[in-house]
Amino acid sequence: MRLFLFFTGILLVLLSCQKKHNFENFTVDKSLPGNDTILLLSKYPELKLYNSEIVESKTRTAHIVQAASYSDGFRKGTFLFDDYKCKAQYQNDTLTIKLNNNNGYFGNGILIKVFKNHFYIKDIDPKTLKGEEKFIKSKVFSQKLILNSKQFTKNDSIYGFIDYKCSIDSLVDKHFKGYFKTIIQ
């Protein structure tokens, strides 16, 4: 009986340590570079989130709005964020897209991992300092990713659309939606 309980305990620990990702297929829309919102991004300068920041792109890389709604039983509220930037990196057949607004003191956004025809999203922990990469657990309600291509290489332009809904800590519901463009590093 002790041996059974020992192995059951080990099995439960191993299962709880496994990372759970919500894998989905992404859609390809070759007409994304001509989308009105993406065309408007090219007409505005990139955001500067803090004074000493070195801006890597001359034009805006993302137009994303995040609505974070909370309810603690007594109070309800919604916060809107629209100051996101996009960065993409291609490494070992995986495309990593970061949609974030890190200002050196905290960050808020998502990380998208794209490989083959699949993707998954991880929520960036708001307590993330510049240079750190921390994530927070979330319960995904729905997620949709549209990219302009299935094939990715470094120095290519990538255009995309994201629509992502999740719950964080069962107190905050997050809806993250919008367009982005950048050059793959």
Side-chain angles (χ1 to χ4, degrees):
M1 183 66 174
R2 284 185 180 177
L3 189 60
F4 173 75
L5 291 174
F6 175 74
F7 284 116
T8 303
I10 289 177
L11 181 63
L12 288 174
V13 168
L14 289 174
L15 289 175
S16 69
C17 290
Q18 289 181 350
K19 293 182 178 179
K20 184 179 176 184
H21 296 294
N22 293 313
F23 294 97
E24 296 274 340
N25 290 334
F26 66 89
T27 307
V28 174
D29 181 356
K30 294 186 185 289
S31 69
L32 268 178
N35 177 282
D36 291 344
T37 303
I38 288 182
L39 293 173
L40 276 175
L41 289 175
S42 298
K43 294 182 179 185
Y44 294 97
E46 181 63 293
L47 297 174
K48 191 167 185 175
L49 300 175
Y50 54 95
N51 290 337
S52 63
E53 179 181 18
I54 297 170
V55 179
E56 297 175 13
S57 175
K58 291 181 181 179
T59 62
R60 187 100 188 250
T61 56
H63 176 68
I64 294 175
V65 176
Q66 175 184 302
S69 304
Y70 71 91
S71 173
D72 63 4
F74 300 106
R75 295 173 287 178
K76 291 183 179 182
T78 301
F79 293 101
L80 295 177
F81 302 94
D82 66 353
D83 54 350
Y84 291 94
K85 293 181 171 190
C86 179
K87 284 187 178 182
Q89 186 176 28
Y90 189 73
Q91 197 172 22
N92 300 331
D93 81 348
T94 301
L95 177 65
T96 303
I97 303 168
K98 189 180 283 189
L99 301 166
N100 195 4
N101 64 357
N102 191 305
N103 66 6
Y105 298 105
F106 65 90
N108 183 14
I110 61 173
L111 177 82
I112 307 168
K113 293 274 189 172
V114 180
F115 49 94
K116 298 187 182 175
N117 293 330
H118 304 291
F119 75 97
Y120 70 87
I121 298 174
K122 293 168 80 173
D123 285 277
I124 296 173
D125 189 332
K127 299 173 190 162
T128 301
L129 297 175
K130 187 174 186 286
E132 289 184 319
E133 198 166 85
K134 292 183 191 175
F135 301 98
I136 192 166
K137 290 183 181 181
S138 60
K139 179 181 176 186
V140 177
F141 298 132
S142 67
Q143 56 187 359
K144 178 181 182 179
L145 177 66
I146 302 173
L147 298 174
N148 65 312
S149 175
K150 280 188 179 185
Q151 302 289 330
F152 309 105
T153 58
K154 289 184 180 183
N155 298 320
D156 280 351
S157 292
I158 185 168
Y159 301 88
F161 171 80
I162 184 76
D163 189 354
Y164 174 65
K165 295 177 186 174
C166 70
S167 175
I168 300 171
D169 297 334
S170 74
L171 296 175
V172 177
D173 288 338
K174 176 177 177 178
H175 187 188
F176 194 87
K177 184 176 181 178
Y179 291 89
F180 58 90
K181 71 176 184 80
T182 193
I183 295 174
I184 301 171
Q185 304 297 312

